[in-house]
Amino acid sequence: MNIEAYISSGVIESYVLGMADAQEIAELEQLRLQYPAIQQAIDEFEESLEKTAFAAAVSPAPSVKNKLFFELENEFALPVKEKDKPSFAHNTPIVDIQSRINKTEEETIIETNFSTEQTKAVVKPLRYLKAVSVAAILLLIASASLNVYFYSKNNALDEQVTALLNDKNTLIASNKSMQVKYTDIYANLMVVSDTNVQKVVLKPVVGKEGSLATVYWNTFTKDVYVVADKLPKAPKGKQYQLWALVNGKPVDAGMIDGCNGVCKLKNTIQAQTFAITLEKTGGSESPDLTQLYVLGNVKSS
Amino acid sequence: MEASVKYTETELVYLLKQRQQSAFSYLYDNYSGALLSVIINIVSDTELANDVLQEVFVKIWRQIESYDNTKGRLFTWMMNVARNASIDTVRSKGFQNSQQNQELTETLYDKGGSTQLHTDKIGLRKVVHELKDEYKVLIELAYFEGYTQDEISKMLDIPLGTVKTRLRTALTQLRGVIKQ
């Protein structure tokens, strides 16, 4: 293994700066134990990075430390003999760090994450702790049952909301379809209420009793509308056709199909009689008189 | 403050793992300035960088158990925590929408190297800017922006192999410059 080449390959910098991949890391962590030169190169680069950062140090805003300690307030180990006020600084100068650590062990009240040998430490306010624990457990139970209560209440409310939303959507949909119907009806009403419109009732011929249709003919605009809701349903391949009889001659006035209520058919300039026959789909040039259903005369004005 | 107290790294880490507030206070007083310079390298907005600093110290406090001194110095570990948090901030949606990001992107593609006026060119980033442009760009993208080599290869339209070797060369040069 060429150590020099490895050291100058850039992999060490990549590792220290946190840019190396898993394989490079594994390899380097192996090699640094074997070759002191590699270890030294790592140390040197780490030190120069640290120096560079310290040389460029920027003072943080003074508020950051306060906010930080406020945020972590409950995560610090209980201070030793510092009951009165929390202070971030030491109360007594510590010269020998080891003695401070020993002292800490003796006077420990509660410390988490301690090694097992430290758990032997004498804990004085046990009774007080017991009371606190009991209170804490009671609070926990109360809180848990409240959680269950609110959870089920919340679920019930959720269901209600969903049901209401469904109702709302259904109402909106039916409202829309009502609006469409209303618009149709209003338009139809406008058609038939025009003062220029003549109403011609077409009555059934013998054998077609029960059939009925009405023609609304605007003698000014020549528009023809038919309401043919009392004709039997046309069989497949057949459609009803409206005829205008002009001086005894039948003139095609349009097919009655696929319209809702009032059908607008072909404009008719002149007519003495209107009649409806059943014809093949698409209509015929002349009416099949054996299939005549209804007819009616226009009132002479 | 007890200015006279001075911990070695080993002592400091031991006390931090004991959850000692005084040790954490010491850590903050001694390292926050250097770490803020690392953060400002990536998050150029000073106010936002201070927020990231706070977040970084919370992470250091909560993750100190995962620090292993056989893998490197305490500062190196904290510097990596700071770098990751800063890159996360820059990549967060809120930051993307803000103007700072525009400035960063402009800086990135400014190959003229006449960007010394920016306040974020301190510390390591300043050193990086002494490198040749082709190396500088790679470290900018890989270290300060946190892109993978694959992403950089696509971004700059250079083969992945070239990105790898050039980045390695760039890092070796960085070591040379930083020692001076």
Side-chain angles (χ1 to χ4, degrees), chain B:
Chain B
M1 247 204 73
E2 300 287 329
S4 59
V5 181
K6 217 160 158 45
Y7 296 143
T8 67
E9 243 182 65
T10 319
E11 291 163 351
L12 189 56
V13 171
Y14 176 82
L15 290 171
L16 286 173
K17 290 187 179 177
Q18 301 290 338
R19 321 313 286 155
Q20 290 298 323
Q21 191 179 46
S22 55
F24 188 61
S25 179
Y26 177 89
L27 182 82
Y28 184 86
D29 293 339
N30 284 279
Y31 290 93
S32 57
L35 286 176
L36 185 55
S37 83
V38 172
I39 295 166
I40 285 179
N41 273 178
I42 298 168
V43 183
S44 48
D45 178 73
T46 318
E47 201 180 317
L48 189 57
N50 271 287
D51 291 345
V52 177
L53 180 71
Q54 184 183 340
E55 187 192 323
V56 165
F57 268 93
V58 170
K59 286 198 164 121
I60 291 170
W61 174 251
R62 291 186 180 154
Q63 293 167 16
I64 190 72
E65 281 299 330
S66 71
Y67 166 66
D68 175 356
N69 68 354
T70 64
K71 302 242 168 102
R73 295 172 71 83
L74 176 63
F75 183 77
T76 307
W77 178 72
M78 294 195 296
M79 185 176 170
N80 282 329
V81 173
R83 176 192 171 227
N84 292 336
S86 304
I87 289 173
D88 285 350
T89 302
V90 172
R91 294 200 163 176
S92 69
K93 221 177 166 192
F95 189 86
Q96 296 283 337
N97 296 336
S98 75
Q99 259 200 313
Q100 284 90 348
N101 190 45
Q102 260 180 348
E103 190 188 46
L104 208 72
T105 315
E106 280 163 17
T107 312
L108 170 64
Y109 291 109
D110 182 359
K111 294 195 173 179
S114 57
T115 48
Q116 308 298 338
L117 291 175
H118 289 289
T119 49
D120 51 348
K121 297 293 180 307
I122 56 171
L124 186 60
R125 201 151 179 218
K126 189 171 146 203
V127 177
V128 167
H129 273 251
E130 289 169 24
L131 299 178
K132 278 208 280 180
D133 284 345
E134 55 178 315
Y135 298 136
K136 184 173 73 184
V137 165
L138 284 183
I139 298 187
E140 279 283 344
L141 288 172
Y143 184 74
F144 295 110
E145 308 250 328
Y147 288 105
T148 64
Q149 299 187 357
D150 208 36
E151 288 167 330
I152 295 171
S153 156
K154 282 178 190 134
M155 213 182 269
L156 299 182
D157 201 18
I158 302 175
L160 182 58
T162 312
V163 172
K164 262 192 202 335
T165 49
R166 210 179 276 177
L167 185 59
R168 287 290 191 83
T169 314
L171 289 169
T172 315
Q173 296 208 347
L174 178 67
R175 175 163 62 172
V177 184
I178 211 171
K179 265 187 186 168
Q180 287 161 14

Side-chain angles (χ1 to χ4, degrees), chain A residues 67-109:
Chain A
K67 283 192 276 181
L68 182 62
F69 277 74
F70 183 74
E71 185 177 351
L72 297 178
E73 207 180 359
N74 299 320
E75 298 181 28
F76 297 114
L78 288 188
V80 182
K81 302 245 171 183
E82 274 186 8
K83 284 173 193 157
D84 297 333
K85 56 171 187 178
S87 157
F88 304 144
H90 305 295
N91 280 355
T92 50
I94 295 148
V95 186
D96 175 9
I97 190 70
Q98 199 51 45
S99 77
R100 177 176 158 79
I101 294 165
N102 291 339
K103 207 168 149 205
T104 314
E105 285 175 19
E106 285 161 22
E107 298 185 359
T108 298
I109 297 169

Side-chain angles (χ1 to χ4, degrees), chain A residues 11-29:
Chain A
V11 72
I12 286 174
E13 293 76 16
S14 180
Y15 171 82
V16 172
L17 289 170
M19 291 164 22
D21 61 37
Q23 197 194 334
E24 291 167 337
I25 292 171
E27 190 183 37
L28 191 141
E29 285 178 351

Side-chain angles (χ1 to χ4, degrees), chain A residues 181-199 216-221 223-225 227 260-262 264:
Chain A
K181 272 188 194 157
Y182 168 77
T183 315
D184 276 358
I185 290 169
Y186 183 75
N188 291 342
L189 181 66
M190 284 297 102
V191 167
V192 299
S193 61
D194 195 303
T195 47
N196 289 312
V197 164
Q198 266 209 33
K199 181 182 174 189
Y216 295 90
W217 184 32
N218 190 316
T219 50
F220 181 70
T221 63
D223 288 340
V224 170
Y225 302 87
V227 178
N260 204 359
V262 179
K264 186 173 188 304

Side-chain angles (χ1 to χ4, degrees), chain A residues 170-213:
Chain A
T170 316
L171 282 172
I172 287 178
S174 75
N175 181 290
K176 273 191 186 144
S177 82
M178 293 296 280
Q179 273 181 14
V180 171
K181 272 188 194 157
Y182 168 77
T183 315
D184 276 358
I185 290 169
Y186 183 75
N188 291 342
L189 181 66
M190 284 297 102
V191 167
V192 299
S193 61
D194 195 303
T195 47
N196 289 312
V197 164
Q198 266 209 33
K199 181 182 174 189
V200 183
V201 178
L202 310 191
K203 292 190 171 137
V205 298
V206 178
K208 304 294 180 194
E209 285 80 6
S211 298
L212 200 69

